[in-house]
């Protein structure tokens, strides 16, 4: 059973702080990892993906991957109230030409003005 | 980026009726489409995976005769909820991927309410 685990939160941070979201996965064969943001009542939107060990930065977001520890994280710098949402971590398993994603249950982030 | 649309965005129907939801990839050819269901305050639950021109693969516990999936073209997949009941009320979300993308792009979702 392939599992992706996240702390459900809620995680509260003050505006301007760094929000740190964590995720672990069970399948060592997972090759790609994704962070999606989901606002209440909306569908998920892709924020970042990462394949290689180390850090990947995109604006205020940094994804970190440690395959040895089976650990993925997302850092949000200078958090804004508009970042308040549920963040879904997903691990990708490439099969038959498609990328099947295994989702965690999500971490709810609240940025306090 | 890749754009996926869904129609309708919301639907209210009476118990026992059937509802069809369309999922379209607007600017790329989707070799695979995924259908998810999400109940309030819960995570996404994958219902089925469909490849263009093939029968859908359903997740355990999802009734294939109740949730009919058709993926007749590279840009369109449909989910039909047959004989809908109140417990089928949920947020249904599709996503699409192709051989040139290695992630899934989500549609905006369809909120189904069965009275």
């Amino acid at each position: 059973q392939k599992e992706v685990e996240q702390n459900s939160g809620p995680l509260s941070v003050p505006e301007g702080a760094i929000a740190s979201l964590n995720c672990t996965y069970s399948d060592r064969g997972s090759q790609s990892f994704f962070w999606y943001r989901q606002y209440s009542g909306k569908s998920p939107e892709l924020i970042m993906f990462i394949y290689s060990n180390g850090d990947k930065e995109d604006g205020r977001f940094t994804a970190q991957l440690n395959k040895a520890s089976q650990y993925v994280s997302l850092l949000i710098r200078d958090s804004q109230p508009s970042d308040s949402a549920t963040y879904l971590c997903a691990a990708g398993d490439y099969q038959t030409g498609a990328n099947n994603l295994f989702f965690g249950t999500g971490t709810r982030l609240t940025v306090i003005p | 980026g890749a754009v996926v649309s869904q129609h309708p965005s919301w639907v209210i129907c009476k118990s026992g009726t059937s509802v069809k939801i369309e999922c379209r990839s607007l600017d790329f050819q989707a070799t695979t489409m995924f259908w998810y269901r999400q109940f309030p305050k819960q995570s996404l639950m994958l219902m089925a995976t469909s490849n263009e021109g093939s029968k859908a693969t359903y997740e355990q516990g999802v009734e294939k005769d109740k949730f009919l999936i058709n993926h007749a073209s590279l840009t369109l997949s449909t989910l039909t909820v047959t004989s809908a009941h109140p417990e089928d009320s949920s947020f249904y979300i599709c996503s699409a991927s192709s051989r040139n993308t290695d992630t899934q792009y989500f549609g905006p979702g369809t909120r189904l309410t069965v009275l």
Side-chain angles (χ1 to χ4, degrees):
Chain A
Q1 181 76 9
K2 297 172 184 174
E3 294 182 347
V4 175
E5 296 198 1
Q6 296 179 253
N7 187 325
S8 62
L11 172 66
S12 295
V13 299
E15 183 174 356
I18 296 175
S20 177
L21 304 164
N22 305 315
C23 170
T24 59
Y25 60 95
S26 64
D27 181 18
R28 285 195 173 274
S30 296
Q31 301 166 353
S32 51
F33 305 88
F34 304 84
W35 283 100
Y36 287 84
R37 176 174 61 197
Q38 186 176 24
Y39 292 111
S40 181
K42 303 294 184 182
S43 68
E45 56 178 323
L46 180 67
I47 299 176
M48 291 188 69
F49 57 87
I50 186 168
Y51 302 138
S52 304
N53 274 328
D55 296 357
K56 179 181 179 182
E57 187 174 318
D58 183 359
R60 295 187 295 114
F61 300 97
T62 298
Q64 299 174 317
L65 173 60
N66 183 326
K67 290 185 178 180
S69 301
Q70 296 176 238
Y71 175 87
V72 192
S73 67
L74 179 69
L75 300 178
I76 307 175
R77 289 182 300 281
D78 188 22
S79 296
Q80 301 297 309
S82 58
D83 295 326
S84 298
T86 296
Y87 289 80
L88 301 171
C89 172
D93 177 12
Y94 194 84
Q95 289 181 326
T96 62
N99 203 344
N100 295 318
L101 297 183
F102 297 88
F103 284 90
T105 54
T107 299
R108 196 160 56 126
L109 171 67
T110 300
V111 180
I112 303 168
Chain B
V3 180
V4 177
S5 69
Q6 275 184 249
H7 177 81
S9 55
W10 59 270
V11 57
I12 302 173
C13 68
K14 292 183 178 180
S15 185
T17 60
S18 294
V19 175
K20 180 186 282 188
I21 302 170
E22 292 186 351
C23 176
R24 292 181 186 274
S25 57
L26 299 185
D27 54 1
F28 70 103
Q29 293 185 325
T31 49
T32 305
M33 287 186 169
F34 305 83
W35 287 97
Y36 295 85
R37 180 168 53 182
Q38 187 174 38
F39 293 106
K41 297 187 178 181
Q42 295 187 22
S43 189
L44 297 171
M45 290 175 49
L46 179 65
M47 300 176 66
T49 302
S50 74
N51 292 300
E52 183 263 341
S54 303
K55 288 185 178 179
T57 301
Y58 290 81
E59 295 299 301
Q60 192 172 10
V62 178
E63 301 174 56
K64 62 180 181 180
D65 294 331
K66 180 169 179 65
F67 299 99
L68 302 179
I69 292 172
N70 184 284
H71 190 169
S73 78
L74 286 172
T75 59
L76 174 64
S77 177
T78 61
L79 167 68
T80 301
V81 183
T82 62
S83 186
H85 289 94
E87 58 266 31
D88 297 324
S89 298
S90 188
F91 191 40
Y92 290 86
I93 310 172
C94 74
S95 70
S97 69
S98 75
R99 292 190 181 89
N100 295 324
T101 68
D102 48 12
T103 188
Q104 296 178 24
Y105 296 93
F106 284 86
T110 297
R111 190 161 301 282
L112 170 64
T113 302
V114 184
L115 302 177

